[in-house]
Amino acid sequence: MIKQLSIIGVGLIGGSLALALRQAGYCRRIIGIGRSAERLQAACKARVIDEGTTDYAAGLADADMVLVAVPLNSYVESFRQIKGKVRSDAVITDVGSAKACVIEDAARVFGKVPQNFVPGHPIAGTEKSGFEAAFAELYRKRRVVLTPTATTSSRAVDAVAAMWQAAGAQVEITDAAHHDRVLASTSHLPHILAFGLVGSLARESDVEEIFRFAAGGFRDFTRIAASDPAVWRDICLRNKEALLQALRHYREDLDALEQAIVTGDAASLMEIFTRAKTARDKFSFN
């Protein structure tokens, strides 16, 4: 059981974890740390956290678990605030959507990656943001990927895994590079495609008519384009190489589709669509 969880950045992700752990009775005290005293006070009033503070030293002093839940471009500053302010036995983890860059940031700030730091990424979320959107069931039956380094303490890994399992998640462990390649294709690429499509249509002169006649497929595919633009800007830039590789591969397949349509190649279109349907039908996303 966690005695005190200190969350740096109380938004959808950190807030949902706080609610899940409170519901499970797995955490005695939850402290929120951030820059806005007003927002932290509101999170307290909503019973997402027990206490909020803008003072990192005060918020971290008694923590046995620290969760970094800030945008990727804020990690260096968060690590600087953590350095020298946590107990030697405290476990530090995070929720960043890219992992290699987070590990690099930790090494840069701390001199080397701390043994008690467990990089993590819950593969869950919505297009909404802020603690107001948090709910306890967000992680139920969802995957959380941990990417410990060669020097990460097994005790720390076990503690973080147990925390996520208490929130209802399924924990998997892999290396950071593999995580970044897979998530570039399955999460980062779909988001930028959704942003790109909606942005392209929004420039059309008859945009109102286009969106008025949009059906369920358009709604489902583009829902994630309502996500926080700043968050996804940072993800694109910080997982750049893996995302560019996924984009190049997708562009090749898109060119093949275009060519089949141009030439009226019904057989190729049928093959592409059948292969995609077969692959999609194999997997359950429940």
Side-chain angles (χ1 to χ4, degrees), residues 208-231:
E208 291 187 9
E209 184 177 34
I210 289 173
F211 285 113
R212 188 168 68 250
F213 287 112
F218 178 84
R219 179 200 61 214
D220 294 342
F221 176 69
T222 60
R223 174 186 59 81
I224 52 179
S227 302
D228 187 337
V231 168

Side-chain angles (χ1 to χ4, degrees), residues 4-170:
Q4 179 180 310
L5 169 65
S6 292
I7 301 175
I8 301 174
V10 185
L12 168 69
I13 301 300
S16 292
L17 178 61
L19 291 173
L21 295 179
R22 189 190 302 281
Q23 188 178 85
Y26 195 75
C27 188
R28 293 180 187 170
R29 189 165 179 248
I30 302 171
I31 306 298
I33 304 172
R35 293 175 295 183
S36 171
E38 183 179 354
R39 292 283 295 164
L40 291 167
Q41 185 178 7
C44 287
K45 188 175 181 180
R47 295 186 57 78
V48 174
I49 57 177
D50 297 309
E51 183 182 333
T53 181
T54 58
D55 185 335
Y56 279 76
L60 294 169
D62 296 322
D64 52 332
M65 180 71 72
V66 177
L67 180 77
V68 180
V70 299
L72 285 173
N73 70 341
S74 299
Y75 268 72
V76 168
E77 178 58 26
S78 293
F79 286 148
R80 284 174 179 160
Q81 293 287 357
I82 290 170
K83 186 177 181 180
K85 298 184 180 74
V86 295
R87 294 174 359 201
S88 60
D89 63 339
V91 175
I92 305 166
T93 188
D94 81 297
V95 298
S97 295
K99 302 313 325 162
C101 64
V102 168
I103 292 171
E104 291 169 3
D105 287 346
R108 186 180 313 127
V109 174
F110 294 103
K112 62 180 180 179
V113 181
Q115 291 184 334
N116 60 335
F117 175 54
V118 183
H121 177 209
I123 306 177
T126 72
E127 71 279 13
K128 299 177 181 179
S129 59
F131 72 85
E132 298 91 343
F135 59 102
E137 297 76 25
L138 179 62
Y139 304 112
R140 194 164 295 168
K141 296 183 180 179
R142 301 297 181 182
R143 285 185 173 81
V144 172
V145 181
L146 304 182
T147 63
T149 68
T151 59
T152 304
S153 158
S154 59
R155 178 192 72 84
V157 173
D158 291 344
V160 174
M163 175 183 72
W164 285 113
Q165 288 164 349
Q170 301 169 354

